[in-house]
Amino acid sequence: ARKRDGKNGASVYDDAISDRTRQRAEIEKDISEALENSWFEAHFQPIVDVETQETRGYEALMRLRHGKKGLLAPANFIAVAEETGTIGLIGNQILDDALKNLASISKLPGMQNAYVAVNFSPLQFEPGLPIRIASQASRFGIRPSQLVVEITEAVLLHDNPEVRKILDQIHEFGCRIALDDFGTGYSSLSYLSRVPVDIIKIDQSFVRSIGTDQAIVAQKNRMLMESINAIAHKMNCTVIAEGVETTEQFKLLQSLGVDCAQGYLFSKPRFVPDLIREMTTSRKPAEIRIA
Ligand code: C2E
Ligand code: MG
Ligand code: MG
Ligand code: MG
């Protein structure tokens, strides 16, 4: 197709396309360079018990530490990695880094039961995954109960029996399965009967409206969170609320009986050596308490 009304005929439109092509080629180059040089890192964000405010575990969030561009968040490259299939290789590096980092944290006093929650893309659910998880966990001395596999609805979308079998195997091995971004997307509830879900993560969008001037939206979201919490607990699932940024939001989650909270109120995702250095010196994140 050509843009007809531009001064230069087709060139405006074609330039836009070639800009995008160039951009995409650059991302692909960044990814392959990052894979070669092990530039992918799992940064850790604490998941905090709402009652005691102790850190129960961490979510591993992927970062690409680019040699020239600095630290890149997944929004910059994950879609391309999923389209080109490199997400499988990246996912392997992230799993290894997450387990390795958790092993270091586990050695700290009181942290021997900490877990790490790793995000998995649909493409990673191939038959070799359960064995890979088992062998890497044992390589780093991590018990199955210390690994949570985070999936989104995208993993379950086509109700693929192959994928369900893989999830069952991972669950049987002793890892927990978390359903991420719960409450967004299409038909989240039916998955709860078909997949061995242990943890439900309430999507950030519900929490975000609390304390804003959109009082009606906030009130409706509060009721939705209350209902999600009730359903999850009926299904024997643990509930984690994501994106908690304010004390007001945290207090509301406390009053709703949500189990755990995660968000900037406690900590941004951190480079794990920095996190460990802080934990072994003075200010543990868990010591920042909300009355
Ligand atoms: P997610 O799994 O839902 O992760 C939560 C996202 O919210 C993270 O963004 C996190 O940094 C951000 N976040 C945490 N607390 C707050 C808060 O209080 N306020 C706000 N505004 N944001 C908060 P991030 O790290 O940019 O990751 C974005 C998404 O990329 C993740 O969403 C996940 O879907 C995907 N992702 C991240 N790491 C991996 C990975 O290793 N593998 C795969 N397949 N996907 C990943
Ligand atoms: Mg997640
Ligand atoms: Mg999420
Ligand atoms: Mg997400």
Side-chain angles (χ1 to χ4, degrees):
R2 295 172 139 245
K3 190 174 189 295
R4 286 184 199 142
D5 52 358
K7 276 179 270 166
N8 276 337
S11 69
V12 179
Y13 192 84
D14 290 350
D15 280 358
I17 287 180
S18 65
D19 273 359
R20 251 197 297 158
T21 310
R22 251 196 306 277
Q23 242 175 45
R24 171 158 177 141
E26 197 175 319
I27 296 170
E28 284 182 33
K29 184 169 152 268
D30 288 347
I31 290 173
S32 58
E33 223 178 335
L35 279 168
E36 253 169 59
N37 299 303
S38 304
W39 284 346
F40 288 104
E41 296 174 353
H43 286 213
F44 277 24
Q45 184 179 38
I47 297 168
V48 172
D49 186 302
V50 165
E51 239 167 73
T52 64
Q53 292 180 43
E54 280 166 26
T55 297
R56 290 271 172 264
Y58 301 86
E59 179 170 10
L61 293 157
M62 181 200 294
R63 299 290 180 264
L64 192 167
R65 192 180 292 277
H66 193 281
K68 296 186 203 81
K69 301 177 185 172
L71 211 56
L72 305 178
N76 296 293
F77 55 83
I78 209 155
V80 173
E82 286 183 335
E83 277 167 41
T84 57
T86 45
I87 190 67
L89 293 170
I90 301 172
N92 286 345
Q93 289 195 359
I94 290 298
L95 175 65
D96 294 0
D97 197 44
L99 293 171
K100 190 183 85 187
N101 282 319
L102 182 70
S104 308
I105 290 179
S106 294
K107 293 196 185 80
L108 302 176
M111 298 306 286
Q112 63 278 1
N113 293 323
Y115 66 83
V116 66
V118 178
N119 293 282
F120 285 79
S121 286
L123 280 177
Q124 294 181 264
F125 286 85
E126 38 97 35
L129 183 64
I131 285 174
R132 184 152 202 294
I133 285 177
S135 68
Q136 293 307 84
S138 98
R139 175 181 158 207
F140 292 106
I142 297 298
R143 281 168 278 121
S145 62
Q146 291 182 280
L147 177 64
V148 171
V149 170
E150 284 200 12
I151 59 170
T152 60
E153 214 179 64
V155 170
L156 309 170
L157 213 53
H158 304 290
D159 194 25
N160 182 340
E162 186 99 302
V163 170
R164 252 202 277 168
K165 190 175 155 200
I166 293 164
L167 284 167
D168 283 338
Q169 286 171 341
I170 293 169
H171 190 254
E172 224 129 88
F173 175 60
C175 300
R176 280 169 292 167
I177 311 287
L179 203 43
D180 205 353
D181 304 342
F182 191 84
T184 62
Y186 300 97
S187 55
S188 318
L189 288 181
S190 67
Y191 300 132
L192 296 178
S193 60
R194 283 185 271 122
V195 181
V197 178
D198 305 284
I199 298 170
I200 284 177
K201 298 190 78 171
I202 298 180
D203 190 68
Q204 316 198 357
S205 54
F206 294 97
V207 177
R208 193 167 301 137
S209 61
I210 308 301
T212 65
D213 53 9
Q214 294 176 288
I216 294 169
V217 177
Q219 199 200 352
K220 285 182 177 169
N221 277 336
R222 187 179 56 72
M223 293 190 288
L224 285 169
M225 285 195 284
E226 199 173 356
S227 310
I228 293 172
N229 192 59
I231 290 170
H233 284 162
K234 272 227 162 88
M235 304 295 290
N236 273 325
C237 292
T238 298
V239 178
I240 301 175
E242 294 189 286
V244 183
E245 295 185 353
T246 69
T247 310
E248 183 184 356
Q249 291 167 347
F250 181 71
K251 285 186 171 158
L252 177 86
L253 295 167
Q254 260 178 333
S255 75
L256 292 182
V258 163
D259 302 295
C260 293
Q262 183 186 346
Y264 296 166
L265 176 64
F266 302 100
S267 171
K268 292 200 167 182
R270 304 286 311 279
F271 180 53
V272 177
D274 291 344
L275 188 71
I276 290 177
R277 201 170 311 123
E278 265 173 33
M279 289 167 81
T280 50
T281 54
S282 51
R283 298 182 308 131
K284 271 196 263 173
E287 283 170 9
I288 305 163
R289 296 184 65 88
I290 292 126

